[in-house]
Amino acid sequence: MLAGMLVSCSSNPTLTTTPAEQADSLNYETITMMQSIDGCDKDSSGCTYIEFAYPQFINTSGLLADSLTAIIQHTFGDSEKNILSPDSVQHNFIASYIAFKKKENIYTTPWFVEKSLMVLSQNPKWISLVYDERTFTGGAHPNSYKLYSVIEKASGRKMILTDFFDSTAIYKLMGLGETEFRSVKGINPNQGLEDAGYWFEKNRFHLNNNFYLNENGITFFFNHYEVGPYSLGSTEITIPANKLVKLMKK
């Protein structure tokens, strides 16, 4: 019966071709794949499903190709269980839910997993990606997670703040970031961050390496539980481009 249910929930990946923004941009296709119990619609009530979406890059080679492949494998595989295939990860998720329901006879709450890796922007030197995750496998509430990555095309490595700003500029950037953070969260300039419910180390604001850049400026994202309890939510701040011009490395 379990095997039959697994077969019935299988679905084939779909491809969407995404044109390059310009001649030096990477071409890719977006692969979307989903499995659900009994082929139910993910938007219907009571549907347990798992959905992935990620770019499959075309004609990419060398260190960059290795890096992008590793990111996709790490994101959509399960290294702890030595399951590398996204399709197998989805099968395992559905099987786990079926086994849990069989063990807990009265359990009816559906589970879901949504994972996506998307290209935000490109230029000749780097490509920006965003990873979004939403999951629920029981508990008080669903969980979500967002990670930005700026990948250097020449080396394939993930870039960090010190690639764009020296130590003096980062110190000034922290001040700009705190101003934006307080504005977004409605925190009075004279109020301590700890008093507002946030747990920055030593009660001093800091920026993380979860960021991306575009023509509007530099955007940082703080996930749930990163700098405060779940009730205070996640936080996204953008420092405008006109404030960065004199701070960034040439």
Side-chain angles (χ1 to χ4, degrees):
M1 181 180 70
L2 174 60
M5 292 183 74
L6 287 175
V7 170
S8 67
C9 74
S10 178
S11 61
N12 294 323
T14 60
L15 298 178
T16 303
T17 302
T18 306
E21 298 172 2
Q22 54 195 40
D24 54 17
S25 293
L26 303 178
N27 286 285
Y28 61 91
E29 296 175 330
T30 300
I31 296 179
T32 302
M33 53 193 305
M34 188 188 84
Q35 293 185 30
S36 61
I37 289 185
D38 295 330
C40 62
D41 185 335
K42 71 172 187 175
D43 295 322
S44 63
S45 176
C47 184
T48 289
Y49 68 93
I50 178 168
E51 183 177 49
F52 294 163
Y54 57 90
Q56 180 173 281
F57 292 93
I58 303 168
N59 297 331
T60 307
S61 60
L63 295 174
L64 178 59
D66 293 341
S67 177
L68 293 172
T69 298
I71 290 172
I72 292 171
Q73 288 179 342
H74 175 76
T75 303
F76 298 97
D78 188 341
S79 57
E80 291 185 359
K81 297 180 180 178
N82 198 30
I83 304 174
L84 303 180
S85 163
D87 184 68
S88 297
V89 171
Q90 291 189 339
H91 271 287
N92 187 68
F93 174 79
I94 297 295
S96 296
Y97 179 76
I98 292 171
F100 184 79
K101 278 196 67 176
K102 185 177 180 180
K103 181 180 179 181
E104 306 290 336
N105 293 328
I106 61 173
Y107 188 86
T108 58
T109 305
W111 291 356
F112 70 83
V113 171
E114 296 176 351
K115 292 184 177 184
S116 68
L117 183 68
M118 298 296 173
V119 175
L120 279 174
S121 61
Q122 299 189 55
N123 67 23
K125 293 186 177 181
W126 65 73
I127 180 170
S128 295
L129 307 171
V130 58
Y131 169 66
D132 267 305
E133 176 183 312
R134 288 182 65 248
T135 63
F136 179 78
T137 54
H141 53 72
N143 292 301
S144 62
Y145 182 75
K146 179 178 287 188
L147 178 66
Y148 292 118
S149 300
V150 181
I151 308 299
E152 187 178 47
K153 288 183 175 180
S155 66
R157 70 182 180 88
K158 180 178 178 179
M159 305 179 78
I160 58 177
L161 278 182
T162 52
D163 290 310
F164 300 97
F165 306 92
D166 62 26
S167 57
T168 301
I170 287 180
Y171 179 79
K172 295 178 181 178
L173 195 68
M174 293 288 182
L176 295 172
E178 181 170 0
T179 299
E180 293 294 329
F181 186 89
R182 287 177 176 272
S183 176
V184 168
K185 290 299 188 180
I187 304 173
N188 189 294
N190 299 319
Q191 183 181 12
L193 293 170
E194 188 174 356
D195 293 335
Y198 295 93
W199 50 50
F200 288 97
E201 186 176 356
K202 297 181 180 179
N203 199 25
R204 295 176 60 183
F205 179 84
H206 69 80
L207 293 169
N208 57 20
N209 273 301
N210 192 3
F211 71 90
Y212 75 96
L213 299 99
N214 63 14
E215 66 275 10
N216 298 320
I218 184 168
T219 296
F220 294 87
F221 192 85
F222 297 89
N223 282 286
H224 289 98
Y225 300 115
E226 185 175 351
V227 294
Y230 184 87
S231 59
L232 290 178
S234 58
T235 309
E236 185 169 273
I237 62 172
T238 298
I239 301 173
N242 61 3
K243 295 183 179 181
L244 302 176
V245 175
K246 295 182 179 180
L247 296 181
M248 295 187 73
K249 294 179 180 179
K250 292 184 179 180

